[in-house]
Structures are given as C-alpha cells and as structure tokens.
C-alpha cells in the first residue's frame, strides 16, 4: 500500500528521512507544517503528499515541483521527507531511536523579529547533543516593513521583487540571527552561501504565512539528507520493524492502540511486537495495523483502513491486546524470527537509555 512497500529481495532500500520541526512557541512551527502539507499536488496524482498517523510524507516529486529550478530530482535517490506532525522540542527530545533522536534531521524555526528565545536555545542544545543536522527557517519575513509578499516561490525570486529598503532590513535581521547562532557555537550563513553543510548551518528566510522560502527549506532538507544521511537511510526494508510510540490511545472497535513512527523494517498484521511500557516490556500479537484513508474516501468510509503491512519510514496505528501500559516515547520492535527474550532485552536497554535522558518541556 505505501510507497516503501516492496515484494522483492531484501536488499538495502533507501528510506525517507524523518524530519522534526522545532523552535520557540509562536515562532511559526505549526504554520510551517500546515504550509508544507497544503502545498500539495492534487490528491491521488503521482507525487501527492500523503497523511500518515502522526506524520506527513512529502515525496521527492512534490519537493521538486515546488522548488522548480532549485531541485533536479535526478540528484536525489532518497524518496522524499517524512515530517513528524507534532512540532516542538518536547516531542523531539522524548522521541528516540536507539538512544539518538527519532528524527534524522530538523528545521529550527526562528521568528526574525524575535530572534533567539528560551525554547530556541533549548532546541539548539538538543540538536547539538543529538548531533542532528538542521536548517534554520528565519521565519515571518513578510512582517518586515515594506515587504511585498510573493507566494510559494523560492526566496531569491522573492528577494528580487523587494525594495532595497525591505531587503536591507531583512538582511540586518538575518545577520543578527547568524550572530546569535555563532554565540551558540554554530557557524551559520545564508544557505545559498554555505559550501559545506557539515561545518555551517544554512539559514533560509521564510514566511510560513505566504509560502516564500518554503521551497528552499524543502530543498535544503533534501540536500542535507542526501549528503549526510544516505548511509543511515539504507535499511533492510523487509526486516523486522523498529519504531517509537508517539501516543497511546483508545481506538474505537480495537481497544487500546499505539501510534507509532516506524524508522526501520516492516511490521506485518501477523507479527508479534515488543513495546516499552511503564513496567516490564509488553509482548503482544498485532490485532490490526491502521493507516488513514486517502482524504477523498473519508466522508463515506471509516477514517482508518486496515493494512497487511507497513514499511519504514511511516506513521501507523498498531492495535493489539495489553497495550494499556505502553508509553509514549518508548521503543516498538517486531520479533519475527528472533527470540522474544532477545527483543525484550533490546527494548529494556533502550528504555534504560531513555529513562536517564527524558526531559520535561
Ligand atoms: P508555533 O507555536 O511555533 O507552532 O507557532 P504558530 O505556527 O502557531 O504561529 C504563531 C502565530 O504566528 C500564528 O498567529 C501564525 O499565524 C503566525 N505566523 C506564523 N508564521 C508566520 C509568518 O511567516 N508570517 C506571519 N506574518 N505570521 C506568521
């Protein structure tokens, strides 16, 4: 059903990088995510954005369509980007995979007028600690006095349409932001001047409200992923699934279910899974795997459809007995042809790692 699902031999497959959006409250995280979700090819067409449980998949075709000349799709072999829908560094710092961050890459949203704020600093500390590559979206550029909004266009095009005065004001603010990044030990520059993203953080002027610069954010994320995450994205997609619990919820008709972001392998409807909990890890048999129906069908049908298998990277709902004590942020592992004890131990070790580092927002 999903793009990542294949029936072929289990050779390494490149999965979609998982993206988190972080930043201070009100700096525009939700608006940016909404803008990315809204800037879509008509549903059902090739390259349409798809809604997952807790995440949104933006295929490479959509990125290149939005980004126009910024992106040559033949430069990329990663399939696109999977954005976690819950913005904020609380979800980011508690969602871990193998002790690292669940997200492979991040967008740090900073209001250009407001600059660095307490939660910006918290976010940047977490990014530093987890060694997560990120791009800075210098947001709300449309609020610069005299700004002439341009819509969903690459930033250079928008820049060219501004008065000298508006451009100068924006540049001043961007350089202040670059200075603040330097104060926190990140050498940064406007993204189009960055030659080596391993040493420099790219700053992308954006307006989540008008869409200006949003194509550039997607482009830089694709470029960073391709350059620095390609090896990490090579997975045995047919192998036993591994993921992280986003939420534990009652699902009508199915009892307690967990929302999961899967970052490795496949989970099948007949699998046994081990799930981290407040007590001993839960060992249980999948009752149903659920994914959202395409929007077009939502009115007439139930919101979710049952599927036979889901492959990484993806968001899905797993319904199974005994999930009441499952814990948000905890690992989920498919047992498949391994011993239960081995998988339970893996989950316990991962939980121990989370236990010492879990943070409150
Ligand atoms: P969050 O708390 O970081 O998720 O911030 P929101 O996305 O909820 O945005 C906070 C407020 O700023 C909302 O009223 C948004 O409409 C507004 N906002 C977000 N991005 C922009 C932007 O680029 N330009 C303008 N003018 N307003 C924005």
């Amino acid at each position: 059903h999903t793009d990542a699902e294949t029936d072929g031999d289990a050779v390494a497959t490149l999965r979609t990088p998982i993206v988190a959006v972080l930043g201070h409250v009100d700096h525009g995280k939700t608006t940016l995510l909404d803008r990315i979700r809204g800037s879509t090819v008509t549903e059902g067409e090739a390259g349409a954005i798809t809604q997952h449980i807790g995440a949104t998949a933006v295929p490479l075709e959509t990125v290149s369509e939005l980004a126009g000349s910024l992106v040559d799709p033949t430069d990329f072999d990663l399939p696109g980007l999977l954005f976690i829908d819950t913005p904020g560094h609380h979800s980011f710092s508690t969602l871990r995979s193998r002790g690292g961050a669940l997200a492979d890459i991040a967008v740090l949203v900073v209001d250009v007028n407001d600059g660095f704020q307490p939660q910006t600093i918290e976010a940047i500390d977490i990014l530093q600690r987890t060694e997560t590559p990120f791009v800075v979206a210098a947001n709300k550029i449309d609020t610069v006095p005299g700004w002439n909004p341009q819509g969903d266009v690459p930033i250079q095009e928008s820049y060219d349409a501004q008065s000298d005065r508006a451009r100068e004001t924006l540049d001043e603010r961007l350089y202040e932001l670059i200075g603040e990044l330097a104060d926190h030990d990140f050498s940064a520059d406007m993204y189009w001047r960055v030659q080596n993203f391993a040493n420099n953080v790219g700053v992308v002027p954006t307006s989540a409200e008008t869409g200006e610069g949003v194509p550039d954010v997607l482009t830089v994320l694709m470029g960073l992923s391709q350059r620095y995450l390609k090896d990490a994205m090579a997975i045995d997609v047919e192998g036993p699934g591994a993921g992280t619990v986003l939420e534990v919820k009652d699902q009508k008709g199915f009892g307690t279910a967990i929302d999961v972001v899967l970052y490795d392998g496949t989970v099948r409807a007949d699998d046994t899974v081990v799930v981290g909990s407040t007590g001993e890890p839960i060992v249980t048999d999948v009752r149903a795997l659920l994914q959202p129906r395409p929007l077009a069908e939502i009115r007439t049908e139930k919101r979710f459809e049952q599927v036979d298998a889901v492959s990484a990277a993806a968001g899905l709902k797993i319904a199974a007995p005994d999930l009441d004590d499952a814990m948000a942020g905890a690992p989920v592992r498919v047992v498949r042809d391994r011993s239960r004890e081995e998988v339970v131990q893996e989950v316990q070790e991962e939980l121990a790692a989370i236990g010492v580092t879990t943070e409150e927002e």
Side-chain angles (χ1 to χ4, degrees):
H1 178 81
T2 60
D3 289 338
E5 226 173 328
T6 53
D7 297 315
D9 293 330
V11 219
T13 303
L14 292 174
R15 73 157 166 88
T16 314
I18 299 169
V19 189
V21 179
L22 317 186
H24 194 70
V25 64
D26 281 347
H27 280 196
K29 300 178 293 293
T30 309
T31 311
L32 180 65
L33 275 164
D34 286 348
R35 169 62 59 175
I36 290 167
R37 279 194 289 253
S39 51
T40 170
V41 180
T42 314
E43 177 138 16
E45 286 179 16
I49 286 170
T50 51
Q51 194 56 52
H52 290 226
I53 301 288
T56 303
V58 183
L60 177 59
E61 290 103 307
T62 309
V63 175
S64 62
E65 190 149 317
L66 279 169
S69 57
L70 292 176
V71 166
D72 177 353
T74 60
D75 287 345
F76 298 101
D77 42 21
L78 294 175
L81 300 163
L82 185 74
F83 286 85
I84 296 179
D85 283 342
T86 323
H89 57 270
H90 180 62
S91 59
F92 179 82
S93 62
T94 52
L95 298 179
R96 290 162 178 280
S97 61
R98 300 193 191 101
L102 170 64
D104 302 299
I105 189 164
V107 183
L108 178 63
V109 180
V110 187
D111 180 336
V112 276
N113 309 301
D114 224 12
F116 266 48
Q117 294 298 327
Q119 290 168 327
T120 317
I121 296 165
E122 282 172 27
I124 212 166
D125 287 345
I126 295 167
L127 291 169
Q128 195 160 32
R129 200 167 63 232
T130 54
E131 296 179 11
T132 307
F134 66 99
V135 53
V136 173
N139 194 36
K140 307 200 187 185
I141 59 169
D142 62 298
T143 61
V144 164
W147 193 262
N148 181 10
Q150 300 297 310
D152 269 346
V153 299
I155 192 61
Q156 208 56 58
E157 212 171 294
S158 174
Y159 246 71
D160 291 345
Q162 306 304 322
S163 67
D164 288 347
R165 184 136 179 281
R167 219 174 354 221
E168 278 162 24
T169 311
L170 176 60
D171 283 347
E172 272 168 34
R173 294 188 185 171
L174 291 171
Y175 280 112
E176 276 171 34
L177 184 55
I178 287 168
E180 287 176 301
L181 281 156
D183 292 342
H184 288 85
D185 300 329
F186 282 98
S187 153
D189 206 345
M190 311 296 192
Y191 90 87
W192 54 87
R193 291 211 201 101
V194 174
Q195 305 270 335
N196 181 350
F197 281 91
N199 302 326
N200 290 284
V201 173
V203 173
V204 185
T206 58
S207 167
E209 196 77 20
T210 69
E212 285 153 281
V214 174
D216 309 64
V217 171
L218 297 173
T219 305
V220 180
L221 288 170
M222 274 315 296
L224 274 177
S225 304
Q226 184 73 27
R227 181 76 183 74
Y228 300 105
L229 300 174
K230 201 177 150 182
D231 289 346
M233 297 301 99
I235 60 166
D236 168 11
V237 77
E238 294 291 309
T244 300
V245 179
L246 288 176
E247 258 190 272
V248 185
K249 281 194 290 208
D250 191 61
Q251 183 57 40
K252 223 175 157 198
F254 293 96
T256 305
I258 49 176
D259 291 358
V260 172
V261 169
L262 197 68
Y263 59 81
D264 198 3
T266 293
V267 53
R268 300 183 192 140
D270 61 356
D271 272 325
T272 298
V273 292
V274 179
V275 183
S277 86
T278 46
E280 287 292 299
I282 301 159
V283 182
T284 185
D285 294 331
V286 173
R287 183 180 281 154
L289 303 177
L290 300 169
Q291 290 202 301
R293 281 180 195 281
L295 273 180
E297 294 171 24
I298 278 182
R299 265 173 234 282
T300 51
E301 307 270 349
K302 292 188 181 131
R303 265 183 76 204
F304 299 105
E305 64 184 348
Q306 256 176 276
V307 294
D308 294 335
V310 177
S311 299
L316 76 154
K317 220 178 240 304
I318 301 178
D322 304 323
L323 287 175
D324 289 337
D325 294 331
M327 197 170 67
V332 181
R333 294 288 167 88
V334 168
V335 175
R336 198 77 51 83
D337 41 19
R338 299 179 290 172
S339 85
R340 285 176 181 218
E341 291 69 31
E342 177 192 333
V343 182
V344 166
Q345 195 179 341
E346 256 180 44
V347 167
Q348 267 165 339
E349 280 164 12
E350 209 176 301
L351 275 170
I354 295 166
V356 295
T357 47
T358 300
E359 301 188 7
E360 298 300 321
E361 190 162 33

